Amino acid sequence: MTTVTVEGHPGSEGPPVAEARRGFGIDLVRAIVRNKKALVGVALLVFFLVLALFPGQIAPDDGQAEIFQPGLGASWHHWFGTTAYGQDVLSQLIWGTRQSIVIAFAVGGLATAIAVIVGVSAAYLGGVADGVLSLVTDVILVIPIFPLIIVIAAYKKSAGLFTLIIVLGALGWSYGARQLRSQTLSLRTRDFLESARVRGERKLYIIVYEIIPTMTSLIVASFLGAALYAVLFAAGLQFIGLGDPNSQSWGTMLYWAENNEALGANMVLWAIMPGVCVALLGAAFALLNYAFDEISNPALRLRRLDKPPAPDRRDAAPLAPSSPENILEVRGLTVAYTSDDGPVIAVDGVDLEVARGEFLGIVGESGCGKSTLLYSITRLLGPPFSGEIVGGEVIFNGREIATLGERQLRHIRWREFSVVMQSAMNALNPVLTIEAQMRDACKAHSTMSSKEIADRSREVLRLVSIDPIHLKSYPHQLSGGMRQRAMIAMALLFTPDLVIMDEPTSALDVVAQRSLMAQIKELQRRLGFAVIFVTHDMSLVRHFSDRVLVMYAAQVSELGRTRQVFEKPLHPYTRALLDAYPSIHGPKVALRGIPGAPPNLGAPPAGCRFAPRCVHATARCQIAPSLLDVDGELVRCVLYEDAEVPAAAEARA
Amino acid sequence: MRFVVRRVAFFVATLWAAITINFLIPRLMPGNAAIAMLGRYRGRINPAALHALEIAFGINTHQGLVSAYFSYLGNIVRGRFGTSLTFFPDAVMHEVLQALPWTLGLVGLTTILAFIAGTLIGLISAWRRGGMLDGVLPPIFVITSAFPYFWLALLAIWLFAIKLGWLPENGGYDVKTNVAWSWTFIADVIRHSILPAATILATSVGGWILTMRNNTISVLAEDYVRMARAKGLSSWRIMWTYAGRNAILPNLTGFAMSLGFVVSGAILVEFVFNYPGVGWMFLQSVENQDYALMQGLFLMITVAVLVAILAADIATAILDPRTRDSR
């Protein structure tokens, strides 16, 4: 963990909880303090700001006065020597800071203001206004601004500070506007905007109070980008003599240095130092810009877990499965994520077994660790989930795969177990045809000839009732249901022993869902592979799975035969889940939601994790319950510590 | 189809905007500097050519603004950019075409090289996340991308030409060499191009590295990359056809967007090196108040940027089937 705490920095001790969408301010300060690049950028910027504000107090001399011997080298009196006109280079640099800072902030401000107005209104107004504004933005973006400024300066003979600011500001907004437009577009349909619209707020109010605050980081990035290019372009223009030759600026210094051939004439620092200043100020903006990118896009930040305690599990447990019937045995599997507030245990000591040909359903609310469990079993943790297996073992087909090297793992993948993901739209490579993606898998694991590969690809597509003609299609050319089937077909290329499915039907409508599930079940019976199936949909589990695992807050709360669990649910959470879903065949009962939400896994409740939401909670729930065996069913609840089924459960059954 | 129509509209609009800016600027500037310039032409060129220049700069025209504008558009469409003062009596078009190969050779090639190198380094650095390459390069290139091109050019000349004397200080070729398609001439041209090329490369490659790295990191979090891992594909295959090919698509858009920046820097590099390309000629025309040449070159630079964007568009269409589909 690289948690840096800076004491006394304003805002750094702010509340650790992010305010939902409005409060970017405190988080932003916290994030800047934590980011080294941002800190360096801020330090450089503050340095130059101080120089720009108090040149009279800081500079040893007047920058313009020609009072020294010309062409002096570096010395204690003249750190960077003197110019060919006898001016002190250091003083000139310090006095010249002001102009760069003024240009940077004025252009940054002007360009950002235009970018916000154009970008947000284009996206928000939509239609013709959007078309026109976007076109203007794109055109301004590619018109070469620097040559254009040169043309303008050529007619005006020189471009003073004011001209520079106006022209750079009027032309430098397009990049920011583009970004802000697409960001606004993605926000447009969000709930909080919908609700503002329903409340009848005026458009302007929505834009100013609802949209703009959510885009702080993009607006800052737009400002920094414009400031950076303003500093560079202004220096370039002054360097070629199109600025005001009497102004005090770094670019003008470079112009005079070049005109006096300072580099050849041993006044090297005169020619180098102004460039160093431009580069450093530019670097300040570039570093801040980059850091903001990292802050607003957390995927760019690299987080590392504190090295987990060295696993000594290899000697502790035998490798062989406890039953030869089991294709998969998971023992004490624990997975941790890193977060800004410390490690988060997303899977906590999970045990489970899957027999050959068995259909196991895993249910639970979002954020209970179901997907993490799947991806740790399949060793697919990685970005965006920076999780790591920190304990336990996964025995698959007689091998311990939790610690297997990536290379050995590759040989097992897809041949012995395959994966079907929630959305084929995202899981299929958008730039390759279905055929190419099937060929990929075949080539990785076999020496099949092109013809054999093509034959097999056609065969598996037929298995899921897709016309093999679609082998030539790209994913975006298929309908949602077809994509999902194509992915399942791909998973069956080698007829693996285990297919792991992460909500494979949740992207489909109810009718398509049913028919696809029936097909999966049919294929499973025919081909004999085992299935682990994660879903929110209790009715799917009820109809298709042999056993059910109910997960709550990273732990197994109940595990048993489907029939038993549905008819006689033991855990209060399971009961609550069942009450929250309509039953298709059963009598009509009022549906009840589960009040509250799953706990934050970074700081789970001390005792029973469900206790805060449980209607049966008692003082005994303060102590974490262990998993109990009740008639062959596993349940984590103190109600069963005396191994007797309480009345409540029986009443419902 | 909609994609193509939109792009064509964009190209036409940009071209039109550049031409219109060209037309308007001389008319908007107080104390029209072009009048003085035209004075120097009088009696030296034929009345028709003079008239064309008068239209271009809005002097002595009894035409209204609108009809002058259409005459100007007509001249541009027929490739009549006027006569260059510096290279009198050559037509502007002739001069521009002389300078163009130098710029295409230097700026064009180095830009393509920088893009390819930057894309590769960015991809690998994101793939080896947290590795040596990834730890060192991004911060370095964030800083070098803020360097003024011309300043780095000055440093390069000072170090490699003046101090060490390894490479020529400036120019596109040695005036003593015969300008012909001979190996000596080509070798000389290459020798002269090393420093300016290295300058452009060093300052522009960072931008591509950073954007490609960030794109790749976003793409690596995509489900299809995870799926590729689940399929047990080789890292090589995942890196190129799953991560790389998807990550380069936004980078191509980025290429189009950053091009103006690169071109601007390249103009200054040509200026510093007295390199006989479009940028150098552009700044010469500014110095000589040769407005016809200057405006012709401005249009040429805009067209060059558009051609490069078109190339990026075509590459995108080849790499991304979604843009190919006429939806």
Side-chain angles (χ1 to χ4, degrees):
Chain A
M1 287 301 295
T2 51
T3 315
V4 183
T5 39
V6 175
E7 277 169 2
H9 193 287
S12 65
E13 24 342 16
V17 185
E19 285 175 62
R21 59 193 159 83
R22 195 83 63 116
F24 215 63
I26 292 162
D27 273 357
L28 206 59
V29 174
R30 260 167 46 112
I32 289 173
V33 172
R34 281 181 180 171
N35 190 307
K36 271 186 221 141
K37 295 184 196 82
L39 272 185
V40 175
V42 168
L44 278 172
L45 198 57
V46 168
F47 171 71
F48 282 117
L49 273 176
V50 170
L51 290 189
L53 283 174
F54 311 107
Q57 283 73 27
I58 297 165
D61 298 290
D62 175 355
Q64 297 298 81
E66 302 174 2
I67 46 177
F68 302 105
Q69 204 185 326
L72 287 178
S75 69
W76 184 241
H77 290 285
H78 305 287
W79 288 11
F80 303 134
T82 59
T83 69
Y85 305 99
Q87 299 140 312
D88 180 46
V89 171
L90 175 65
S91 305
Q92 268 202 338
L93 285 175
I94 294 172
W95 283 98
T97 311
R98 185 171 278 176
Q99 203 182 74
S100 287
I101 290 283
V102 168
I103 287 178
F105 279 81
V107 173
L110 186 58
T112 307
I114 302 176
V116 170
I117 293 169
V118 173
V120 173
S121 36
Y124 200 79
L125 298 175
V128 181
D130 182 28
V132 172
L133 287 175
S134 299
L135 187 65
V136 171
T137 308
D138 283 359
V139 168
I140 300 268
L141 193 60
V142 294
I143 294 269
I145 295 174
F146 190 62
L148 181 58
I149 295 170
I150 291 176
V151 169
I152 292 172
Y155 278 106
K156 292 195 59 146
K157 297 295 181 216
S158 81
L161 189 60
F162 186 70
T163 316
L164 272 178
I165 290 172
I166 294 297
V167 177
L168 285 170
L171 295 172
W173 51 268
S174 48
Y175 188 77
R178 242 179 105 114
Q179 308 269 359
L180 287 164
R181 175 179 170 271
S182 49
Q183 176 75 12
T184 311
L185 273 183
S186 70
L187 284 177
R188 240 171 63 153
T189 51
R190 295 277 182 80
D191 292 346
F192 70 94
L193 288 189
E194 295 288 359
S195 78
R197 263 192 289 270
V198 171
R199 286 202 309 271
E201 305 286 8
R202 280 179 302 134
K203 270 190 179 181
L204 190 67
Y205 173 90
I206 295 178
I207 290 177
V208 173
Y209 291 99
E210 301 282 343
I211 297 183
I212 290 179
T214 59
M215 297 195 292
T216 320
S217 67
L218 260 190
I219 292 172
V220 172
S222 156
F223 174 84
L224 294 170
L228 167 63
Y229 104 105
V231 169
L232 289 179
F233 280 4
L237 204 69
Q238 289 161 342
F239 167 68
I240 55 177
L242 285 173
D244 174 2
N246 297 316
S247 72
Q248 297 207 55
S249 70
W250 297 332
T252 311
M253 283 179 77
L254 283 166
Y255 168 72
W256 289 115
E258 172 72 356
N259 269 8
N260 288 283
E261 298 190 349
L263 281 173
N266 245 346
M267 290 176 282
V268 179
L269 289 171
W270 183 19
I272 288 183
M273 288 318 291
V276 171
C277 289
V278 174
L280 283 179
L281 182 57
F285 289 121
L287 281 170
L288 280 173
N289 203 353
Y290 191 75
F292 267 96
D293 224 15
E294 287 191 329
I295 290 166
S296 57
N297 183 358
L300 296 180
R301 268 178 294 164
L302 187 62
R303 287 202 186 116
R304 269 183 231 264
L305 209 56
D306 278 336
K307 245 345 234 179
D312 47 4
R313 50 186 181 236
R314 226 153 311 181
D315 345 298
L319 277 188
S322 53
S323 155
E325 285 297 295
N326 288 344
I327 179 87
L328 179 76
E329 277 188 24
V330 175
R331 294 179 197 154
L333 189 64
T334 303
V335 179
Y337 290 116
T338 45
S339 80
D340 285 338
D341 305 310
V344 172
I345 307 292
V347 171
D348 192 0
V350 168
D351 296 295
L352 77 96
E353 287 158 17
V354 181
R356 286 184 189 277
E358 188 189 17
F359 198 119
L360 174 74
I362 301 181
V363 293
E365 286 164 285
S366 302
C368 283
K370 303 186 306 284
S371 292
T372 306
L373 176 63
L374 282 198
Y375 289 123
S376 52
I377 291 172
T378 48
R379 290 285 307 278
L380 288 173
L381 291 171
F385 309 118
S386 53
E388 243 180 272
I389 298 178
V390 293
E393 52 197 29
V394 178
I395 297 162
F396 174 75
N397 257 352
R399 291 186 213 79
E400 216 289 283
I401 61 171
T403 51
L404 209 59
E406 193 57 47
R407 207 172 274 272
Q408 291 125 297
L409 203 56
R410 250 182 57 207
H411 296 298
I412 312 173
R413 289 191 190 282
W414 226 248
R415 287 200 78 102
E416 298 184 25
F417 69 88
S418 60
V419 177
V420 173
M421 291 191 187
Q422 188 170 358
S423 158
M425 188 66 204
N426 303 329
L428 295 174
N429 187 343
V431 299
L432 295 183
T433 58
I434 301 295
E435 184 175 36
Q437 300 187 47
M438 297 229 183
R439 199 187 308 128
D440 259 350
C442 291
K443 289 217 158 142
H445 301 292
S446 71
T447 51
M448 287 156 86
S449 70
S450 302
K451 190 178 171 306
E452 284 166 336
I453 292 174
D455 287 345
R456 180 65 187 151
S457 305
R458 267 186 232 115
E459 201 179 331
V460 288
L461 275 191
R462 279 197 208 97
L463 276 182
V464 296
S465 346
I466 295 184
D467 189 330
I469 202 165
H470 290 300
L471 276 179
K472 301 281 179 213
S473 300
Y474 288 95
H476 72 272
Q477 295 168 325
L478 302 178
S479 71
M482 259 159 63
R483 270 197 295 269
Q484 216 66 34
R485 278 162 203 270
M487 186 161 57
I488 291 168
M490 212 173 282
L492 299 179
L493 273 171
F494 292 100
T495 327
D497 302 318
L498 174 66
V499 181
I500 289 164
M501 303 190 175
D502 184 12
E503 304 190 38
T505 59
S506 63
L508 304 177
D509 63 75
V510 181
V511 179
Q513 220 174 52
R514 283 272 150 181
S515 84
L516 184 55
M517 279 311 298
Q519 197 157 26
I520 291 174
K521 189 74 189 169
E522 210 273 314
L523 285 168
Q524 188 222 356
R525 279 203 197 104
R526 181 138 60 103
L527 304 174
F529 52 84
V531 173
I532 300 182
F533 181 83
V534 161
T535 186
H536 287 117
D537 191 333
M538 297 297 278
S539 65
L540 287 182
V541 173
R542 171 169 213 160
H543 288 96
F544 296 103
S545 66
D546 303 319
R547 282 194 306 149
V548 190
L549 188 156
V550 181
M551 255 186 111
Y552 186 76
Q555 295 173 329
V556 175
S557 34
E558 183 162 355
L559 174 63
R561 308 211 66 78
T562 305
R563 205 191 176 107
Q564 215 173 339
V565 170
F566 275 80
E567 285 175 2
K568 233 169 69 181
L570 297 179
H571 200 283
Y573 179 59
T574 315
R575 263 178 257 154
L577 270 185
L578 288 174
D579 286 344
Y581 278 87
S583 156
I584 292 183
H585 306 294
K588 278 187 189 169
V589 286
L591 295 182
R592 271 169 294 168
I594 311 173
N600 170 13
L601 292 177
C608 169
R609 292 182 180 183
F610 187 61
R613 300 168 76 189
C614 184
V615 287
H616 302 287
T618 62
R620 289 169 74 196
C621 303
Q622 300 287 324
I623 300 149
S626 51
L627 212 51
L628 304 168
D629 191 328
V630 180
D631 298 338
E633 234 184 306
L634 295 177
V635 62
R636 188 186 300 278
C637 182
V638 289
L639 290 177
Y640 306 97
E641 272 181 356
D642 310 325
E644 54 181 12
V645 181
E650 264 173 342
R652 192 184 184 281
Chain B
M1 215 47 218
R2 251 188 66 203
F3 176 73
V4 175
V5 169
R6 275 188 48 203
R7 291 313 278 176
V8 169
F10 158 73
F11 281 114
V12 171
T14 310
L15 215 52
W16 170 80
I19 292 170
T20 306
I21 288 170
N22 244 351
F23 175 80
L24 286 179
I25 286 177
R27 286 173 167 76
L28 291 178
M29 289 300 146
N32 198 327
I35 298 178
M37 179 195 76
L38 282 185
R40 285 184 277 162
Y41 276 111
R42 212 166 296 281
R44 292 166 71 188
I45 57 175
N46 67 49
L50 189 68
H51 184 64
L53 283 175
E54 284 174 345
I55 290 174
F57 297 107
I59 300 155
N60 293 338
T61 43
H62 306 296
Q63 286 173 299
L65 197 64
V66 177
S67 70
Y69 179 56
F70 282 105
S71 316
Y72 177 74
L73 281 183
N75 283 340
I76 297 293
V77 168
R78 276 168 285 177
R80 291 183 198 158
F81 293 95
T83 308
S84 160
L85 189 67
T86 324
F87 303 95
F88 187 81
D90 278 352
V92 164
M93 205 56 188
H94 178 77
E95 287 312 314
V96 173
L97 291 179
Q98 289 254 304
L100 198 59
W102 290 97
T103 297
L104 286 184
L106 177 72
V107 183
L109 277 182
T110 40
T111 303
I112 293 171
L113 252 167
F115 180 74
I116 294 174
T119 301
L120 286 181
I121 298 173
L123 174 63
I124 294 168
S125 130
W127 186 254
R128 303 250 165 94
R129 194 72 196 287
M132 274 270 288
L133 197 67
D134 189 46
V136 176
L137 290 186
I140 288 181
F141 281 113
V142 170
I143 293 169
T144 59
S145 66
F147 281 177
Y149 284 56
F150 62 92
W151 176 68
L152 204 68
L154 287 176
L155 286 187
I157 293 177
W158 176 65
L159 184 63
F160 295 103
I162 298 177
K163 281 277 161 194
L164 299 170
W166 290 352
L167 290 160
E169 221 175 294
N170 57 33
Y173 55 93
D174 199 324
V175 278
K176 283 172 291 201
T177 350
N178 272 336
V179 180
W181 282 113
S182 68
W183 285 118
T184 21
F185 179 67
I186 292 171
D188 190 48
V189 167
I190 291 175
R191 254 170 58 79
H192 277 80
S193 69
I194 291 175
L195 279 187
T199 309
I200 299 175
L201 210 59
T203 32
S204 61
V205 77
W208 314 131
I209 292 182
L210 294 180
T211 48
M212 185 63 181
R213 173 180 174 271
N214 290 1
N215 293 343
T216 309
I217 287 170
S218 310
V219 164
L220 286 179
E222 291 283 344
D223 273 355
Y224 50 76
V225 172
R226 180 182 291 229
M227 184 79 172
R229 279 171 58 207
K231 277 157 75 176
L233 304 187
S234 65
S235 309
W236 188 256
R237 181 90 186 145
I238 300 177
M239 183 170 97
W240 289 107
T241 43
Y242 285 74
R245 217 177 126 181
N246 282 290
I248 201 173
L249 298 174
N251 216 30
L252 283 170
T253 323
F255 175 77
M257 290 197 288
S258 324
L259 216 61
F261 203 77
V262 175
V263 167
S264 310
I267 289 174
L268 290 175
V269 171
E270 283 190 6
F271 173 77
V272 172
F273 283 97
N274 286 330
Y275 202 82
V278 171
W280 180 77
M281 187 179 269
F282 182 61
L283 293 178
Q284 286 298 303
S285 69
V286 170
E287 198 164 298
N288 299 327
Q289 299 176 9
D290 187 349
Y291 295 109
L293 182 58
M294 176 182 81
Q295 295 199 261
L297 286 165
F298 172 69
L299 275 188
M300 180 54 67
I301 292 169
T302 311
V303 170
V305 170
L306 283 178
V307 169
I309 291 174
L310 184 66
D313 273 0
I314 293 171
T316 307
I318 291 172
L319 289 173
D320 188 353
R322 286 164 295 185
T323 55
R324 281 206 297 275
D325 272 349
S326 24
R327 275 187 303 158

